[in-house]
Amino acid sequence: MPLTLGLIGSGAIGTSLARLAVAAGLDVVLSNSRGPETLGDLVDSLGSHARAATPAEAARAGDLVVVSVPLTALGLLPVDALNGKIVLDTGNYYPQRDGRLAGLDADEITSSGLLQRHLPGSTVVKAFNSIGSGQLFALARPAGAPDRSALPIAGDSTKAKEETGRLLDVLGYDAVDIGTLADSWRSEPNTPVYVEPYRGEAPAGLGPEEWWQWSLRDPGTAVAAAQVRELVASAERGPSRADVIPAGLAL
């Protein structure tokens, strides 16, 4: 089992993953585009198992490396430092944030396939992209718990997916292998398994900011592996699946 998790991008999803990893006894090396000095408060809250670094340092330190950045930031990734690494891609394509990308709009490639193309020396696995950050932290359960949730993963390497599955297990989730990177669209925005099954019912009448704050506190709803498989199998591919961006979830 990997002992150190590198994180490139320390937003909502990255922070939840860091908290889960530290709680599981792993070391985490966090980074963002603004510099290690901006992560002091977060690192302090995580304790002695966490430290801040540059993206290249986080990439080199991580036994597995999480990339949690917008598609517009792919050019900033430390490609050389990520060579030989298993890279867990939490990202999704949101045209409102990323701008229109013809290959993605035409379903010629998935967003994780785009990342793999950008990182030819790495092995990309799609993971943690189909759940909100609040639910990601709140729904983690130990192995064997009756209300344990599962998350979909996708990748072209069986070995890399096995390593990713072991990480999910340690963090509190079962993993459901949904296929290759070309199949990873099945867990992307506007598909049946994306976000909604894991979320509780929001109070009526919330504005966008109120909804986002509620979402961060929402304890969520358990989604077992069998349900994930059913939801993934029912997905239908269509153009521009991410026309509506859920408040906060693309950050």
Side-chain angles (χ1 to χ4, degrees):
M1 182 58 229
L3 298 179
T4 300
L5 188 66
L7 292 115
I8 299 177
S10 298
I13 291 291
T15 296
S16 288
L17 287 173
R19 294 191 187 284
L20 290 175
V22 166
L26 305 184
D27 293 327
V28 296
V29 182
L30 299 107
S31 69
N32 61 18
S33 60
R34 299 182 301 279
E37 65 279 1
T38 66
L39 294 168
D41 289 344
L42 176 57
V43 168
D44 288 345
S45 73
L46 291 169
S48 60
H49 281 282
R51 65 181 177 93
T54 67
E57 290 167 341
R60 294 189 184 98
D63 296 301
L64 295 177
V65 182
V66 174
V67 168
S68 190
V69 302
L71 290 175
T72 52
L74 295 190
L76 302 177
L77 293 176
V79 176
D80 291 343
L82 288 167
N83 280 341
K85 299 287 185 173
I86 296 173
V87 173
L88 308 186
D89 175 26
T90 76
N92 291 300
Y93 171 45
Y94 299 99
Q96 298 88 337
R97 178 196 65 188
D98 304 320
R100 286 288 176 184
L101 299 173
L104 294 175
D105 285 338
D107 293 329
E108 295 170 354
I109 193 170
T110 62
S111 59
S112 290
L114 199 64
L115 177 62
Q116 181 65 82
R117 181 184 294 175
H118 188 72
L119 301 175
S122 306
T123 304
V124 172
V125 178
K126 186 85 159 185
F128 305 113
N129 68 298
S130 62
I131 187 170
S133 60
Q135 292 72 50
L136 175 60
F137 184 74
L139 288 173
R141 298 289 188 275
D147 60 344
R148 199 183 210 210
S149 290
L151 294 172
I153 63 172
D156 296 338
S157 165
T158 299
K159 181 179 178 181
K161 286 189 286 188
E162 289 172 351
E163 288 290 321
T164 302
R166 282 192 281 272
L167 175 66
L168 263 70
D169 183 44
V170 167
L171 298 186
Y173 288 88
D174 294 330
V176 174
D177 184 348
I178 66 171
T180 67
L181 292 181
D183 300 313
S184 62
W185 64 269
R186 291 182 175 275
S187 68
E188 290 180 345
N190 293 354
T191 60
V193 79
Y194 177 77
V195 175
E196 290 299 334
Y198 299 95
R199 185 187 295 151
E201 184 175 352
L206 297 182
E209 180 59 29
E210 293 172 316
W211 182 94
W212 174 235
Q213 293 302 321
W214 166 82
S215 178
L216 292 175
R217 299 188 301 270
D218 171 35
T221 301
V223 182
Q227 185 179 354
V228 170
R229 293 188 187 97
E230 291 176 3
L231 292 168
V232 167
S234 69
E236 295 182 3
R237 196 166 195 183
S240 303
R241 293 172 305 282
D243 285 339
V244 178
I245 186 169
L249 289 177
L251 301 178

mmCIF file of all heavy atoms in Angstrom, residues 229-251:
data_model
loop_
_atom_site.group_PDB
_atom_site.id
_atom_site.type_symbol
_atom_site.label_atom_id
_atom_site.label_comp_id
_atom_site.label_asym_id
_atom_site.label_seq_id
_atom_site.Cartn_x
_atom_site.Cartn_y
_atom_site.Cartn_z
ATOM 1 N N ARG A 229 -22.551 -0.078 -10.332
ATOM 2 C CA ARG A 229 -22.507 -0.833 -11.591
ATOM 3 C C ARG A 229 -23.772 -0.614 -12.417
ATOM 4 O O ARG A 229 -23.707 -0.439 -13.643
ATOM 5 C CB ARG A 229 -22.305 -2.314 -11.298
ATOM 6 C CG ARG A 229 -20.954 -2.655 -10.691
ATOM 7 C CD ARG A 229 -20.739 -4.162 -10.605
ATOM 8 N NE ARG A 229 -19.508 -4.453 -9.881
ATOM 9 C CZ ARG A 229 -19.460 -4.749 -8.583
ATOM 10 N NH1 ARG A 229 -20.584 -4.817 -7.875
ATOM 11 N NH2 ARG A 229 -18.304 -4.985 -7.988
ATOM 12 N N GLU A 230 -24.922 -0.616 -11.758
ATOM 13 C CA GLU A 230 -26.175 -0.400 -12.474
ATOM 14 C C GLU A 230 -26.236 0.998 -13.080
ATOM 15 O O GLU A 230 -26.659 1.178 -14.233
ATOM 16 C CB GLU A 230 -27.351 -0.611 -11.522
ATOM 17 C CG GLU A 230 -27.550 -2.052 -11.084
ATOM 18 C CD GLU A 230 -28.677 -2.190 -10.075
ATOM 19 O OE1 GLU A 230 -29.321 -1.156 -9.777
ATOM 20 O OE2 GLU A 230 -28.916 -3.313 -9.595
ATOM 21 N N LEU A 231 -25.828 1.985 -12.316
ATOM 22 C CA LEU A 231 -25.872 3.357 -12.802
ATOM 23 C C LEU A 231 -24.920 3.548 -13.982
ATOM 24 O O LEU A 231 -25.271 4.196 -14.981
ATOM 25 C CB LEU A 231 -25.509 4.317 -11.668
ATOM 26 C CG LEU A 231 -26.525 4.413 -10.533
ATOM 27 C CD1 LEU A 231 -25.921 5.168 -9.344
ATOM 28 C CD2 LEU A 231 -27.799 5.112 -11.003
ATOM 29 N N VAL A 232 -23.724 3.000 -13.866
ATOM 30 C CA VAL A 232 -22.746 3.125 -14.946
ATOM 31 C C VAL A 232 -23.240 2.436 -16.212
ATOM 32 O O VAL A 232 -23.123 2.949 -17.322
ATOM 33 C CB VAL A 232 -21.385 2.559 -14.489
ATOM 34 C CG1 VAL A 232 -20.442 2.393 -15.679
ATOM 35 C CG2 VAL A 232 -20.759 3.465 -13.446
ATOM 36 N N ALA A 233 -23.836 1.261 -16.042
ATOM 37 C CA ALA A 233 -24.324 0.509 -17.197
ATOM 38 C C ALA A 233 -25.460 1.235 -17.911
ATOM 39 O O ALA A 233 -25.656 1.056 -19.122
ATOM 40 C CB ALA A 233 -24.788 -0.882 -16.762
ATOM 41 N N SER A 234 -26.198 2.064 -17.191
ATOM 42 C CA SER A 234 -27.343 2.756 -17.785
ATOM 43 C C SER A 234 -26.962 4.062 -18.479
ATOM 44 O O SER A 234 -27.816 4.714 -19.089
ATOM 45 C CB SER A 234 -28.394 3.046 -16.713
ATOM 46 O OG SER A 234 -27.928 4.031 -15.795
ATOM 47 N N ALA A 235 -25.698 4.464 -18.380
ATOM 48 C CA ALA A 235 -25.270 5.742 -18.960
ATOM 49 C C ALA A 235 -25.371 5.704 -20.479
ATOM 50 O O ALA A 235 -25.059 4.705 -21.119
ATOM 51 C CB ALA A 235 -23.838 6.060 -18.536
ATOM 52 N N GLU A 236 -25.805 6.820 -21.038
ATOM 53 C CA GLU A 236 -25.866 6.987 -22.484
ATOM 54 C C GLU A 236 -25.007 8.178 -22.874
ATOM 55 O O GLU A 236 -25.125 9.249 -22.288
ATOM 56 C CB GLU A 236 -27.300 7.202 -22.950
ATOM 57 C CG GLU A 236 -28.202 6.001 -22.704
ATOM 58 C CD GLU A 236 -29.609 6.222 -23.225
ATOM 59 O OE1 GLU A 236 -29.847 7.289 -23.831
ATOM 60 O OE2 GLU A 236 -30.451 5.340 -23.021
ATOM 61 N N ARG A 237 -24.165 7.964 -23.880
ATOM 62 C CA ARG A 237 -23.253 9.025 -24.274
ATOM 63 C C ARG A 237 -23.941 9.981 -25.231
ATOM 64 O O ARG A 237 -24.637 9.574 -26.150
ATOM 65 C CB ARG A 237 -22.002 8.456 -24.936
ATOM 66 C CG ARG A 237 -20.867 9.472 -25.001
ATOM 67 C CD ARG A 237 -19.558 8.828 -25.345
ATOM 68 N NE ARG A 237 -18.449 9.720 -25.062
ATOM 69 C CZ ARG A 237 -17.185 9.445 -25.308
ATOM 70 N NH1 ARG A 237 -16.877 8.272 -25.839
ATOM 71 N NH2 ARG A 237 -16.230 10.298 -25.014
ATOM 72 N N GLY A 238 -23.744 11.271 -24.984
ATOM 73 C CA GLY A 238 -24.317 12.283 -25.855
ATOM 74 C C GLY A 238 -23.443 13.503 -25.870
ATOM 75 O O GLY A 238 -22.526 13.641 -25.055
ATOM 76 N N PRO A 239 -23.663 14.419 -26.779
ATOM 77 C CA PRO A 239 -22.819 15.608 -26.894
ATOM 78 C C PRO A 239 -23.003 16.568 -25.726
ATOM 79 O O PRO A 239 -24.086 16.660 -25.146
ATOM 80 C CB PRO A 239 -23.277 16.246 -28.204
ATOM 81 C CG PRO A 239 -24.698 15.792 -28.340
ATOM 82 C CD PRO A 239 -24.727 14.406 -27.778
ATOM 83 N N SER A 240 -21.934 17.253 -25.379
ATOM 84 C CA SER A 240 -21.973 18.354 -24.411
ATOM 85 C C SER A 240 -22.673 17.963 -23.117
ATOM 86 O O SER A 240 -23.646 18.580 -22.707
ATOM 87 C CB SER A 240 -22.649 19.579 -25.030
ATOM 88 O OG SER A 240 -21.994 19.968 -26.207
ATOM 89 N N ARG A 241 -22.173 16.929 -22.465
ATOM 90 C CA ARG A 241 -22.835 16.432 -21.271
ATOM 91 C C ARG A 241 -22.669 17.356 -20.078
ATOM 92 O O ARG A 241 -23.308 17.155 -19.065
ATOM 93 C CB ARG A 241 -22.286 15.043 -20.923
ATOM 94 C CG ARG A 241 -22.641 13.985 -21.942
ATOM 95 C CD ARG A 241 -21.926 12.696 -21.647
ATOM 96 N NE ARG A 241 -20.484 12.885 -21.570
ATOM 97 C CZ ARG A 241 -19.708 13.016 -22.629
ATOM 98 N NH1 ARG A 241 -20.235 13.028 -23.838
ATOM 99 N NH2 ARG A 241 -18.412 13.176 -22.512
ATOM 100 N N ALA A 242 -21.803 18.357 -20.182
ATOM 101 C CA ALA A 242 -21.518 19.208 -19.016
ATOM 102 C C ALA A 242 -21.971 20.644 -19.247
ATOM 103 O O ALA A 242 -21.311 21.587 -18.890
ATOM 104 C CB ALA A 242 -20.028 19.177 -18.700
ATOM 105 N N ASP A 243 -23.128 20.833 -19.874
ATOM 106 C CA ASP A 243 -23.604 22.185 -20.138
ATOM 107 C C ASP A 243 -23.973 22.929 -18.865
ATOM 108 O O ASP A 243 -23.962 24.144 -18.827
ATOM 109 C CB ASP A 243 -24.825 22.143 -21.064
ATOM 110 C CG ASP A 243 -24.422 21.844 -22.514
ATOM 111 O OD1 ASP A 243 -23.256 22.078 -22.825
ATOM 112 O OD2 ASP A 243 -25.275 21.377 -23.279
ATOM 113 N N VAL A 244 -24.367 22.206 -17.817
ATOM 114 C CA VAL A 244 -24.744 22.833 -16.566
ATOM 115 C C VAL A 244 -23.710 22.474 -15.523
ATOM 116 O O VAL A 244 -23.478 21.300 -15.253
ATOM 117 C CB VAL A 244 -26.130 22.372 -16.107
ATOM 118 C CG1 VAL A 244 -26.485 23.009 -14.776
ATOM 119 C CG2 VAL A 244 -27.182 22.739 -17.162
ATOM 120 N N ILE A 245 -23.098 23.479 -14.939
ATOM 121 C CA ILE A 245 -22.037 23.248 -13.963
ATOM 122 C C ILE A 245 -22.619 23.329 -12.558
ATOM 123 O O ILE A 245 -23.190 24.346 -12.184
ATOM 124 C CB ILE A 245 -20.889 24.261 -14.174
ATOM 125 C CG1 ILE A 245 -19.717 23.930 -13.272
ATOM 126 C CG2 ILE A 245 -21.327 25.669 -13.965
ATOM 127 C CD1 ILE A 245 -18.473 24.715 -13.616
ATOM 128 N N PRO A 246 -22.592 22.274 -11.777
ATOM 129 C CA PRO A 246 -23.106 22.346 -10.401
ATOM 130 C C PRO A 246 -22.273 23.321 -9.590
ATOM 131 O O PRO A 246 -21.046 23.333 -9.675
ATOM 132 C CB PRO A 246 -22.934 20.905 -9.879
ATOM 133 C CG PRO A 246 -22.744 20.070 -11.101
ATOM 134 C CD PRO A 246 -22.077 20.956 -12.108
ATOM 135 N N ALA A 247 -22.929 24.133 -8.805
ATOM 136 C CA ALA A 247 -22.233 25.169 -8.038
ATOM 137 C C ALA A 247 -21.121 24.577 -7.206
ATOM 138 O O ALA A 247 -21.344 23.679 -6.393
ATOM 139 C CB ALA A 247 -23.230 25.899 -7.133
ATOM 140 N N GLY A 248 -19.902 25.074 -7.424
ATOM 141 C CA GLY A 248 -18.765 24.680 -6.622
ATOM 142 C C GLY A 248 -18.121 23.371 -6.985
ATOM 143 O O GLY A 248 -16.960 23.163 -6.677
ATOM 144 N N LEU A 249 -18.839 22.463 -7.647
ATOM 145 C CA LEU A 249 -18.313 21.113 -7.842
ATOM 146 C C LEU A 249 -17.214 21.050 -8.879
ATOM 147 O O LEU A 249 -16.494 20.070 -8.942
ATOM 148 C CB LEU A 249 -19.441 20.155 -8.229
ATOM 149 C CG LEU A 249 -20.413 19.840 -7.090
ATOM 150 C CD1 LEU A 249 -21.527 18.952 -7.590
ATOM 151 C CD2 LEU A 249 -19.700 19.168 -5.946
ATOM 152 N N ALA A 250 -17.062 22.062 -9.709
ATOM 153 C CA ALA A 250 -16.020 22.036 -10.725
ATOM 154 C C ALA A 250 -14.725 22.644 -10.224
ATOM 155 O O ALA A 250 -13.754 22.700 -10.944
ATOM 156 C CB ALA A 250 -16.488 22.800 -11.964
ATOM 157 N N LEU A 251 -14.695 23.118 -9.005
ATOM 158 C CA LEU A 251 -13.508 23.829 -8.503
ATOM 159 C C LEU A 251 -12.499 22.870 -7.910
ATOM 160 O O LEU A 251 -12.838 21.792 -7.510
ATOM 161 C CB LEU A 251 -13.945 24.857 -7.456
ATOM 162 C CG LEU A 251 -14.937 25.904 -7.954
ATOM 163 C CD1 LEU A 251 -15.310 26.828 -6.813
ATOM 164 C CD2 LEU A 251 -14.382 26.688 -9.114
#
